[in-house]
Amino acid sequence: MGRGRVWAAGLVTAALALSGCTGGDDNGFRPGAADAGDPYVPGAGNGGYDVGHYALDVRYDPAGDRLTGTATLTVTATRALSRFQLDLAGLDVERVRVDGEAAKHRHDGAELIVTPSGGLPSGRRFTVEVTYGGVPKPLPNAELGDGGFHATPDGAIALGQPESASTWYPVNDHPSDKATYDLAVTVPDGLAALSNGVPEGRTSSGGWTTWRWSERAPMASYLSTLVIGDYRVSSGTHAGKPLVTAVAAALPADGPAAASVARTGEVADFLAARFGPYPFEAYGGVVVADERIRYALETQSRPVYGPAFFRGDRPNTEVVAHELAHQWFGDSVSVARWSDIWLNEGFATYAEWLWAEHDGGRTVAQTVVERYAATDWSRPTVDPGRAGMFGDAVYQRGALAVHALRRAVGDEAFYRVLRGWLAQHRDGNVTTADFIGYAERTSGRPLRALLDAWLVGGTPPGLP
């Protein structure tokens, strides 16, 4: 395919900047846009404002699958607004306050439309408090699989990519609007309530326990998670930071799942030696037993793993390496648009190959030969289409492109590119064009033609 397919990604940031509002309004105030303008997730995300922080206080009763909560958002208007929208699917809103004053609100499908008592000028910092509740449900998606809040016999699992957060709290549900989080989750005594970031302790009263978590680094909303139920929770420290892992009680205490997540710190150190310092304040992982979760997801600082990765009697640390690599590629440095998801998955897959070689498995060279032979070169890595977001072109062909870059510039320059890229864009959002430009400047070599061939070319390039 033509080089223009790659460089079109460079238009993403500009396009997003223009999508904040539509239409006119009195006194210069305008309504927020219907969505963030990302065709891969139509209707998700909103323009006209930036969320800086979510303070979530939720209570979940598994007996009736009912969730109630108060979400307090700290927001900055990026242009003058007469109203704005939040993503909230399937839950009822009792009250909305903007800067402490009652605001009008209505639901339109999965959109919560809020009209404050007065207009919000561009640059204005304000708070939004939403009191809500109901029986959460996942978001049905025939192409990508259901994401969001799943009730379980003993609790719940809130998880999914590219959308999930809107099923359990009001949110600007697009990775281009990252924010910090404080979470308080109240559940019946005896159940664990696991989420992102640093554990801030728990308290019990009247048969209920409140678990508190804090994610102090900006986080894309799809990376937030909530796992409630009967889990064996292990808490400790690694490299001076809290390390919290949990394995569903339904899985063997001495089985492959427990053995795999027990190596989380070791795998993270291996990756840090190549990518630079671990980017967050906590480590961890959660293994669920629910067969509906047929994937693992890099939920920030605490990946969640489905049970299928731990069949048999042998640990699977390759999936741990993949999800931990995402803490750098995808979590700390996030895509500005889903069409560039290879920047997450291609690098995480390559990290998986690196770890396998280090841990006594197949060499990277062996894996490259095998994946190269199996690649369908008609399927592009960049802008693979919504249905292809999680296809082999994104993961395997993307990783082959990473290896081709390594072979072209040599190991010293390759790792210098990766570490510099991650340091420069930490906590930010990026595009494919951003990466290729950075790699060229840092390595001092022209790389556009090479990466164009590996990422979107229709014929097999020479094996590196």
Side-chain angles (χ1 to χ4, degrees):
M1 298 190 181
R3 183 174 297 172
R5 187 73 176 262
V6 175
W7 309 125
L11 301 176
V12 166
T13 301
L16 188 63
L18 295 173
S19 68
C21 295
T22 55
D25 205 304
D26 295 338
N27 302 317
F29 292 100
R30 294 180 287 177
D35 59 51
D38 190 329
Y40 281 53
V41 284
N46 298 280
Y49 64 86
D50 177 80
V51 181
H53 185 73
Y54 293 90
L56 307 179
D57 188 346
V58 301
R59 180 186 181 104
Y60 184 68
D61 186 357
D65 298 335
R66 182 168 179 80
L67 180 142
T68 56
T70 299
T72 304
L73 286 63
T74 304
V75 187
T76 300
T78 57
R79 59 182 60 203
L81 296 172
S82 60
R83 66 177 184 266
F84 57 90
Q85 298 175 199
L86 295 166
D87 300 298
L88 184 64
L91 296 172
D92 298 320
V93 174
E94 177 184 329
R95 183 180 67 223
V96 179
R97 297 183 184 276
V98 175
D99 283 340
E101 296 187 8
K104 295 180 181 179
H105 61 89
R106 63 182 176 87
H107 249 118
D108 183 3
E111 293 294 314
L112 174 63
I113 301 169
V114 178
T115 304
S117 59
L120 300 166
S122 179
R124 166 80 171 270
R125 190 168 183 258
F126 59 99
T127 60
V128 183
E129 181 186 283
V130 182
T131 304
Y132 61 100
V135 177
K137 302 290 184 185
L139 297 168
N141 191 310
E143 290 177 306
L144 305 178
D146 296 353
F149 200 98
H150 299 265
T152 66
D154 63 347
I157 302 168
L159 192 70
Q161 184 185 20
E163 299 173 84
S164 63
S166 64
T167 64
W168 60 286
Y169 64 94
V171 61
N172 195 17
D173 207 3
H174 192 274
S176 59
D177 191 0
K178 300 168 74 170
T180 56
Y181 283 72
D182 284 301
L183 303 101
V185 186
T186 302
V187 295
D189 285 349
L191 298 183
L194 302 148
S195 192
N196 309 87
V198 174
E200 300 288 0
R202 56 185 187 261
T203 56
S204 296
S205 176
W208 295 80
T209 299
T210 299
W211 297 62
R212 292 180 173 82
W213 303 90
S214 177
E215 179 49 80
R216 298 161 187 161
M219 177 168 68
S221 54
Y222 81 96
L223 298 171
S224 63
T225 189
L226 180 59
V227 178
I228 297 168
D230 187 5
Y231 287 81
R232 291 187 298 272
V233 180
S234 299
S235 299
T237 59
H238 179 77
K241 299 178 179 181
L243 191 161
V244 179
T245 59
V247 178
L251 300 174
D254 59 352
S260 299
V261 296
R263 297 183 70 185
T264 291
E266 177 190 354
V267 176
D269 288 349
F270 168 82
L271 298 173
R274 286 144 185 83
F275 302 154
Y278 180 76
F280 302 122
E281 294 184 359
Y283 301 87
V286 179
V287 185
V288 301
D290 194 308
E291 295 292 343
R292 292 172 297 177
I293 308 302
R294 301 187 299 274
Y295 54 89
L297 186 61
E298 61 270 18
T299 44
Q300 191 156 306
S301 75
R302 197 151 290 112
V304 176
Y305 305 93
F309 292 97
F310 307 105
R311 305 294 190 207
D313 58 358
R314 299 188 62 183
N316 179 0
T317 53
E318 290 183 30
V319 68
V320 175
H322 184 105
E323 303 310 327
L324 289 179
H326 273 310
Q327 305 307 302
W328 287 265
F329 294 97
D331 294 12
S332 177
V333 179
S334 305
V335 293
R337 282 293 233 253
W338 285 113
S339 56
D340 286 320
I341 189 175
W342 86 275
L343 290 170
N344 299 359
E345 301 300 348
F347 283 94
T349 301
Y350 195 68
E352 184 181 335
W353 299 356
L354 293 171
W355 168 257
E357 180 178 75
H358 168 80
D359 201 40
R362 289 177 300 179
T363 66
V364 171
Q366 289 171 327
T367 304
V368 166
V369 170
E370 177 186 294
R371 298 292 189 264
Y372 180 89
T375 295
D376 179 352
W377 299 96
S378 70
R379 297 183 180 276
T381 302
V382 179
D383 198 7
R386 176 178 166 87
M389 283 178 66
F390 305 113
D392 282 349
V394 169
Y395 289 71
Q396 308 299 331
R397 186 174 176 177
L400 289 172
V402 175
H403 185 70
L405 172 64
R406 179 183 176 186
R407 291 299 300 270
V409 302
D411 279 11
E412 189 279 329
F414 174 74
Y415 286 111
R416 178 158 43 88
V417 167
L418 266 54
R419 286 190 291 269
W421 165 256
L422 293 164
Q424 179 169 312
H425 294 283
R426 181 171 180 168
D427 298 334
N429 296 86
V430 294
T431 67
T432 296
D434 292 334
F435 176 74
I436 297 176
Y438 183 87
E440 288 189 318
R441 291 190 301 273
T442 303
S443 69
R445 297 191 53 173
L447 297 169
R448 286 173 170 80
L450 171 82
L451 289 171
D452 181 58
W454 281 94
L455 292 169
V456 299
T459 59
L463 190 65

